[in-house]
Each structure stands twice: as structure tokens, then as C-alpha cells.
Amino acid sequence: MELGIDLGTANTVVSDVRRGIVYDEPTVMLLRLGGPRRERVLAVGREAADLLGRAPSRFAAVRPLNDGVVTDLESARLYLRMVLQRAGRRTWAPVRAVVGVPVGSSALEHRALLEAAEDAGIRPVTALDESVAGAVGCGVDPLERRVHMVVDVGGGTAEAVAFCYGGVLAHRTSKLGGDEMTLAVSRYLREQHQLHTGELEAEDLKIRAGTDDNGPLVVQGRDAATGRPRLATVQTAEVADAVRPITDEIIRTLAACLDDLPPQGLTDVLSEGVLVFGGASLVTGFPPELERSLGLPVKRAEDPLTCVAEGAARALRNRRLLAAYGRS
């Protein structure tokens, strides 16, 4: 198997060179506490995410990554093995892959990810900056003699990266992302609608607000006063207002990337625009706000959720690209 893997804080996407997207589910794993190691994993992906807030006390839902980097090597190893199985790997089949990593990650952090991938049976494995992989997935050539700028807004981090002819010219990283937006939505519902919601309900409301501009939206939760189940009606504009402090802070951080570009680089970006992708780029109003702050045209990728994995898979067949941007 030849795979491109986008191992994100919120979602994991795997693209096969020949078959296309073979796995696209939340980055969550459900473990049985205290059991034998091989029997600890009960579910991964959507099955595990559905049990968030529902699982008995002897089970634990684990996110193998935080802010785009491995937080526990053993959990990441177990998770990757399960993902490979779900992606259709046969036990005897060799696997080679390109795995996306944040540009702002340290050598130690991306080495931990590569070690977890190797222990899971992926050899050889190469790390590639997620921004570069996403650009490749959108048809951009990072080896061109012109500057390209992309913004990748994921669940754990957001990054703005400018690159040209095989190298990164400038980048900025924000430790805020889609997860903080979900928390902001949950907090808004609690304060303004006196409604307690779980992580899944708040995340679902955030996503629906980004895809349904006509509202109103209905969300269910527990009434703060009575403790009884209740439905609330929320306008799309309310969700946008709830996440705006987070998006504003992200944009302020990322906009500084332009300060490090030479004048000719700014000219290239002005003529081409900024490409934005990642799950949180779908949040209501994010691309227009980014465009207004940067003063540059901003366009969202056609497949903002899968372009990183697709670009990583394409990079497997491009030795020059991996030689220029790959980390191993």
C-alpha cells in the first residue's frame, strides 16, 4: 500500500495512491482501562467518537494527538495500527506512506510521529509539512519559481505558510483551532441560552452553521435550571458571533506571516491569492474575515477536509518534492 496520511487533532484522513480516500473519521480511540494491551482498543474513529460522554467509567476516550503532535507514543502506535486495518491493510502487505506534520512542529515532535508510524508497520515513512501537502492536493506546485501562500486551519492548530522553489520562506502558527471554536459555541449556549451541551452537539452546531446560511438551527441539550432535556433555536449569526473572538485571534497571528515576505513575494501572493483549507476553514465567515485582514484575495480549497491526505499521497511519486520538503 502507498498512503498519504493526514493525522489531525480532530480528524484522520488516509488517501491511497490508487484508490483515493480510504479512511476519513475522527481522531479518537476508545480504550478499556486496565486490560491487556492488545485487548485495550475497543473502537476507533466515528464509533469511538459516538461514545464521547456516553462510555462507562471503565472505558476512556483518547485523542492520540494534541495541537497536531503526538502526546503519547503508545496511544499513537495503537491508533495507527487500527487505522491501517480500517483502511484495508492486509497483515502481510508492506506499507509506505507520507504523513503530514505541522510546519511549526519541532524535530523531536515529528520524530515521535515517525517513530509511532514505523512501529505501526509503515516503512518507509516520510513527514511532509501539511501546508505543502495541502497545496499539492489542490494542484499547486511547491517547486515553482514563485511564492505561494496557504492557510491551514485544523482542529488543534492554524498555520499560515509561504513557500517557493523547494523551501519555506515564512510561517506563523496559532495554537488555536477548531476545537477552541467548538468550546466557544458550547460556552455561548450555556451563557446565552442556559443550555448545557456535549462536545458532539456543539461541534455539530458549528458545522451546520458553516454549511447552512439560512438558519435557524435547532440544538438539543440539558436545561441549566431544571436539568431536563430541552431544544433551543439558534441563529447562524449567533454561532458566528460565538466563534469570532477565536477566529479574530487566529487571523491576527497568521497575518504576521506577510511581514516576513520580500516585496516580490508579496507581488506573487497578491496576483494569485491565499489558499485556505482545513476543517475549521468551513466555519461561518472565516474566509471573508481572513481576506479583510490580509488585504489579499482568499479562496477556499474545493476539498478542504481531504486535500492534505490527497497531496501527501501524490507526493509519494514525486522524489524532487520529498527531497525538498520531506523530513525523515
Side-chain angles (χ1 to χ4, degrees):
M1 297 178 72
E2 294 179 310
L3 305 175
I5 302 175
D6 178 12
L7 193 61
T9 302
N11 291 283
T12 296
V13 184
V14 180
S15 178
D16 186 276
V17 170
R18 296 182 178 85
R19 295 179 293 156
I21 301 298
V22 292
Y23 185 87
D24 182 2
E25 298 193 22
T27 308
V28 184
M29 178 171 59
L30 188 69
L31 301 178
R32 178 188 286 112
L33 299 178
R37 179 174 299 179
R38 291 191 176 183
E39 297 178 2
R40 287 178 60 201
V41 182
L42 300 177
V44 296
R46 196 164 291 110
E47 293 178 0
D50 287 343
L51 288 166
L52 287 174
R54 298 187 177 104
S57 59
R58 66 181 182 276
F59 302 142
V62 175
R63 292 185 181 273
L65 283 87
N66 184 33
D67 293 338
V69 298
V70 171
T71 54
D72 180 75
L73 197 59
E74 177 64 17
S75 295
R77 184 184 301 122
L78 289 172
Y79 176 73
L80 277 170
R81 284 176 182 165
M82 295 298 294
V83 167
L84 290 177
Q85 291 179 17
R86 295 283 297 276
R89 180 202 184 188
R90 298 176 181 176
T91 54
W92 51 265
V95 179
R96 60 188 294 256
V98 169
V99 181
V101 295
V103 174
S105 63
S106 67
L108 183 62
E109 288 169 337
H110 83 251
R111 185 60 241 171
L113 179 58
L114 292 180
E115 183 178 335
E118 289 171 351
D119 289 345
I122 305 175
R123 296 182 183 179
V125 57
T126 303
L128 179 66
D129 293 337
E130 291 172 341
S131 56
V132 174
V136 172
C138 295
V140 174
D141 182 5
L143 298 175
E144 285 184 330
R145 293 180 176 87
R146 60 182 295 108
V147 177
H148 300 279
M149 183 171 173
V150 302
V151 170
D152 180 10
V153 194
T157 60
E159 293 190 314
V161 183
F163 48 82
C164 174
Y165 198 51
V168 172
L169 294 179
H171 71 88
R172 286 289 189 277
T173 300
S174 171
K175 292 299 184 181
L176 301 177
D179 288 349
E180 284 74 21
M181 296 180 194
T182 298
L183 290 174
V185 171
S186 179
R187 184 166 55 249
Y188 179 88
L189 292 172
R190 184 172 64 251
E191 295 174 353
Q192 301 300 320
H193 290 268
Q194 291 72 55
L195 190 73
H196 290 285
T197 60
E199 179 182 344
L200 296 180
E201 287 79 10
E203 174 78 10
D204 178 66
L205 179 63
K206 182 188 73 174
I207 293 172
R208 285 189 288 141
T211 56
D212 185 0
D213 295 331
N214 298 320
L217 305 169
V218 176
V219 61
Q220 62 183 356
R222 184 177 65 195
D223 188 278
T226 66
R228 301 287 180 84
R230 178 167 66 85
L231 299 178
T233 300
V234 181
Q235 301 296 327
T236 302
E238 291 184 79
V239 179
D241 289 340
V243 302
R244 185 165 291 117
I246 305 298
T247 58
D248 286 349
E249 181 61 30
I250 291 173
I251 290 170
R252 274 195 297 271
T253 301
L254 301 187
C257 183
L258 292 174
D259 298 338
D260 297 334
L261 288 181
Q264 186 59 51
L266 284 172
T267 301
D268 290 343
V269 176
L270 180 61
S271 63
E272 184 176 276
V274 176
L275 179 66
V276 60
F277 48 81
S281 70
L282 298 171
V283 169
T284 302
F286 185 83
E289 287 292 334
L290 181 63
E291 185 170 275
R292 185 158 45 249
S293 178
L294 296 179
L296 298 168
V298 172
K299 54 185 177 182
R300 188 159 52 203
E302 291 184 8
D303 299 302
L305 300 174
T306 61
C307 61
V308 172
E310 291 169 331
R314 293 180 193 176
L316 272 169
R317 301 292 181 86
N318 191 329
R319 293 183 179 179
R320 289 184 60 221
L321 179 66
L322 290 182
Y325 291 101
R327 310 190 210 176
S328 56

